């Protein structure tokens, strides 16, 4: 399973990238707003750091404007994946942009039927939003399972990109179900390393080691 980082924070991306944990990056208008940076400049900087796909989202709502914005974003670097919303116009833009040879990430997916349409439109990635479904008491993981089954039934190449990840459990479940990619905020990815028994065990080893009076270096 590939790890994408869901942020436009250059420092956070660099830190995780140095550990080899960054297979790609996803951004959206809210994350660009949080970064306080110009979309073109910050996206260019991310693309220079990361080899894998970097999603940059269009903001227009009609297909022809989405296509124009997508073409402009795609010119930033060869690893741009143009992100379009899962609307009828977004699907039309997806079809056109993929036929022009660009990677497309279809975002704001909340149903298996939407994911089916995105695959038919040639999407490179489909982004089902797990956390936002959980927020309204619908199990977001059920959607990941349904899409996995449908895509496997018909051998669609579209990669399932689990998005709106809020907890490490979302990542475990995505891995078990077989999502191709997850995109998570940097703090959630770092939490994957945490376990209370690890901390407790380390504390005990440190205390016992002090009692030996030894040094390794
Ligand atoms: O990748 C989409 C993601 O950024 C949405 O996350 O937590 O705002 O629902 P969230």
């Amino acid at each position: 399973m590939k790890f994408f980082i869901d942020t436009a924070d250059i420092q956070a991306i660099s830190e995780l990238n140095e550990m080899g944990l960054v297979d790609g990056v996803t951004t959206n208008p809210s994350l660009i707003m949080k970064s306080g940076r110009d979309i073109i400049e910050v996206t260019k900087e991310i693309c220079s750091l990361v080899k894998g796909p970097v999603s940059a989202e269009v903001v227009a709502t009609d297909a022809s404007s989405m296509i124009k914005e997508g073409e402009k974003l795609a010119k930033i670097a060869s690893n741009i994946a143009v992100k379009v919303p899962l609307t009828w116009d977004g699907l039309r833009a997806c079809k056109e942009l993929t036929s022009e040879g660009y990677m497309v990430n279809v975002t704001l997916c909340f149903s298996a039927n939407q994911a089916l349409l995105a695959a038919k439109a040639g999407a490179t990635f489909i982004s089902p939003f797990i956390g936002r479904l959980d927020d309204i008491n619908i199990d977001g993981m059920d959607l990941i399972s349904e899409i996995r089954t449908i895509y496997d039934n018909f051998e669609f190449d579209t990669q399932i990109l689990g998005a709106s990840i809020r907890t490490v459990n979302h990542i475990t479940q995505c891995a078990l179900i077989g999502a191709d990619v997850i995109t998570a905020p940097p703090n959630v990815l770092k939490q994957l390393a945490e376990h209370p028994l690890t901390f407790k065990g380390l504390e005990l080893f440190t205390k016992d080691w002090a009692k030996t009076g030894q040094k390794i270096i």
Side-chain angles (χ1 to χ4, degrees), residues 59-179:
V59 290
T61 52
D62 66 284
S64 66
S65 306
M66 281 188 210
I67 293 164
K68 280 185 200 130
E69 288 182 356
E71 287 166 344
K72 180 167 179 184
L73 292 170
K75 282 197 178 73
I76 294 173
S78 59
N79 55 336
I80 286 287
V82 179
K83 213 171 175 189
V84 300
L86 213 158
T87 57
W88 197 252
D89 280 72
L91 292 168
R92 286 174 58 198
C94 172
K95 186 78 192 151
E96 174 59 28
L97 289 163
T98 51
S99 70
E100 289 176 25
Y102 300 122
M103 290 187 284
V104 175
N105 177 357
V106 180
T107 189
L108 290 166
C109 170
F110 294 97
S111 78
N113 286 337
Q114 287 182 318
L116 184 53
L117 279 176
K120 298 289 281 182
T124 318
F125 302 102
I126 181 70
S127 289
F129 274 34
I130 300 163
R132 291 194 196 181
L133 280 170
D134 289 354
D135 288 345
I136 56 163
N137 288 327
I138 295 173
D139 189 344
M141 295 326 304
D142 288 347
L143 177 58
I144 303 292
S145 296
E146 286 172 8
I147 301 173
R148 182 72 282 156
T149 302
I150 291 168
Y151 282 10
D152 288 349
N153 282 349
F154 301 102
E155 296 180 4
F156 285 120
D157 291 334
T158 301
Q159 296 179 52
I160 302 173
L161 196 173
S164 186
I165 296 255
R166 307 271 177 77
T167 68
V168 288
N169 190 43
H170 284 153
I171 299 180
T172 320
Q173 294 304 314
C174 278
L176 287 168
I177 293 165

